[in-house]
Amino acid sequence: MKTPLVAVTMGDGAGVGPEVVVRALADPEVRSLCRPVVVGDLRRLGDAAHITGVDVELRAVDGPEAAASEPGTIDVIDLGLLPADLPYGELSAVAGDAAYQYVKVASELAVAGRVQAICTAPLNKEALHAGGHPYPGHTELLAELCGVDEVSMMLSTPTVKVIHVTTHIGLVDAIERIDDALVERTIRRGDATLRHAGLARPRLGVCGINPHAGENGLFGRGEEAEKIVPAVERCRADGLDVQGPLPADTAFYLASRGDYDLIVAMYHDQGHGPVKVLGLETGVNISVGLPVIRTSVDHGTAFDIAGTGRADAGSMIEALRQAAALAPSP
C-alpha cells in the first residue's frame, strides 16, 4: 500500500525551519510512514544539512508525483526565493514573503488533490507581515488559500487530544462567538478526523464554558444550556459518542486516563494550558477542516539558535508521524 504524499513547507528560512526539516526527513521511521516533498529553497536546505551534519542528497523535482522517497534523498520543489547571503536569526521581509509562497504552493497541491497532507515548519508572523501578508498565522492563511470558511485547531499529544471551538480571540469575544451551531460543527469535525485516523467510534468529551460547567445554572448566565447542550444532544441523536458539558478542570484528567479520545475546548487557554502541561515536547498542531490534514511543529522560528545546528527536530518528526497517521490513503 502506498504511503501518503506530504507537502512539507520549509518555513521562515532565517529560522530553524530548514534545520528541523532536513533532520526530520533523514529519520528512517518518517520515511517509512510517508512520501515527503519539501516546498522551499534547495540551496537553503543544503546549507542546513551542512550546519546540522546530516548526510543527505537534495534533489529538485517538479511536483509531488516525482518524489521518489529514496533513503538518503530529500525531494524539493525548489522555489529559489532566498538570497544566498540571507542571515540566520534576523527578521527578514524576503524570508517572510518566501514562507508565504511555500504555503501557497502547498495549498495549491492540496486543493488539486496531489498531496494527502501538509506539514509546516514554523514561520515568523512579524516577517510574514513585513513581506506583505497580514495573516495571524498558518491556520488562517491556509484556510483562505484553500477556500475554506471555517477551520478548527486540534492539538495532539500521546496523552490527550483537544479540538478548539474558538482560538485566537479574546475571552469575552470567544464567549460571544460560541453558539450551538459552532459547537456542533466542531464536534463533528473532531469526530470525523479521528474516524479517518482509524477509530471506529471516537469518544468525545465537551467542556463547559463556566466553572463546574455552570453547576446547573449556578455559575454564568446559562451559556451551557444555550450554547452547548443542544449541540451535544443533536450529535448524540446521530450516533456520536459525545458527553458534556463537562467541568474543564476534570475533563482533561479523564482524557489522560483514557476515558475520552478527544476533548472539545471552548476557548484557547482552556485547551492549550492542559495540553502543554501534559505533552509539550511531543505536541502537534493540526488544522481540521482543510481539504487535507495539516500538521505543524509546536514551536516558533527560534531565531536565537537558528543557524547553529542546535535545533531539535523532535516536534517536526512527531508532526510528520501525525500527518501520516491522519491522512487518508492515496
Side-chain angles (χ1 to χ4, degrees):
M1 185 176 70
K2 282 188 175 181
T3 55
L5 280 162
V6 180
V8 182
T9 60
M10 194 182 79
D12 191 304
V16 297
E19 295 167 65
V20 298
V21 166
V22 295
R23 275 194 160 136
L25 296 188
D27 185 283
E29 182 188 358
V30 168
R31 302 309 292 262
S32 71
L33 296 173
C34 65
R35 290 174 290 155
V37 59
V38 182
V39 184
D41 187 293
L42 189 145
R43 180 169 53 194
R44 194 65 165 185
L45 290 164
D47 189 46
H50 174 72
I51 289 169
T52 57
V54 175
D55 183 16
V56 292
E57 177 188 350
L58 297 164
R59 189 171 73 105
V61 295
D62 293 330
E65 298 83 2
S69 195
E70 296 170 349
T73 300
I74 297 177
D75 296 309
V76 184
I77 298 174
D78 181 22
L79 301 193
L81 299 174
L82 299 179
D85 60 352
L86 178 76
Y88 284 99
E90 296 182 16
L91 191 74
S92 165
V94 172
D97 175 61
Y100 167 85
Q101 302 301 334
Y102 306 150
V103 177
K104 182 173 183 290
V105 170
S107 68
E108 290 168 350
L109 295 172
V111 171
R114 297 172 64 190
V115 296
Q116 286 77 54
I118 296 171
C119 185
T120 58
L123 53 72
N124 182 283
K125 294 180 180 65
E126 189 176 352
L128 184 70
H129 290 200
H133 310 288
Y135 294 90
H138 265 122
T139 302
E140 296 81 2
L141 170 56
L142 278 161
E144 180 169 313
L145 289 172
C146 291
V148 175
D149 292 331
E150 191 173 271
V151 177
S152 295
M153 177 188 292
M154 180 185 289
L155 300 180
S156 177
T157 76
T159 308
V160 65
K161 291 179 173 60
V162 56
I163 190 168
H164 294 73
V165 175
T166 65
T167 49
H168 295 127
I169 56 175
L171 184 55
V172 172
D173 296 327
I175 294 171
E176 182 177 342
R177 181 175 297 183
I178 296 166
D179 62 23
D180 61 306
L182 177 57
V183 172
E184 180 180 356
R185 292 194 299 272
T186 306
I187 292 171
R188 292 184 185 277
R189 273 193 288 269
D191 178 82
T193 299
L194 295 190
R195 287 178 190 268
H196 288 157
L199 280 178
R201 194 165 186 260
R203 300 161 300 162
L204 281 70
V206 181
C207 290
I209 295 172
N210 295 294
H212 301 185
E215 195 78 59
N216 295 318
L218 291 178
F219 303 129
R221 300 178 181 178
E223 288 89 354
E224 280 75 18
E226 175 190 350
K227 298 171 180 285
I228 300 175
V229 170
V232 170
E233 290 180 345
R234 289 195 295 268
C235 290
R236 286 173 62 86
D238 283 345
L240 276 66
D241 186 352
V242 54
Q243 305 291 330
L246 304 171
D249 58 357
T250 58
F252 287 92
Y253 164 72
L254 296 174
S256 70
R257 75 178 189 184
D259 291 18
Y260 296 106
D261 301 304
L262 179 67
I263 294 295
V264 181
M266 292 296 122
Y267 51 89
H268 183 280
D269 285 11
Q270 188 182 64
H272 277 62
V275 165
K276 290 191 175 183
V277 170
L278 291 170
L280 178 62
E281 297 84 0
T282 53
V284 173
N285 183 331
I286 304 169
S287 298
V288 179
L290 296 170
V292 296
I293 288 294
R294 173 259 174 169
T295 66
S296 181
V297 296
D298 67 352
H299 59 75
T301 47
F303 280 169
D304 58 325
I305 61 169
T308 67
R310 291 161 48 201
D312 189 303
S315 185
M316 175 58 79
I317 290 171
E318 186 60 30
L320 284 159
R321 285 192 191 120
Q322 296 275 351
L326 294 170
S329 298

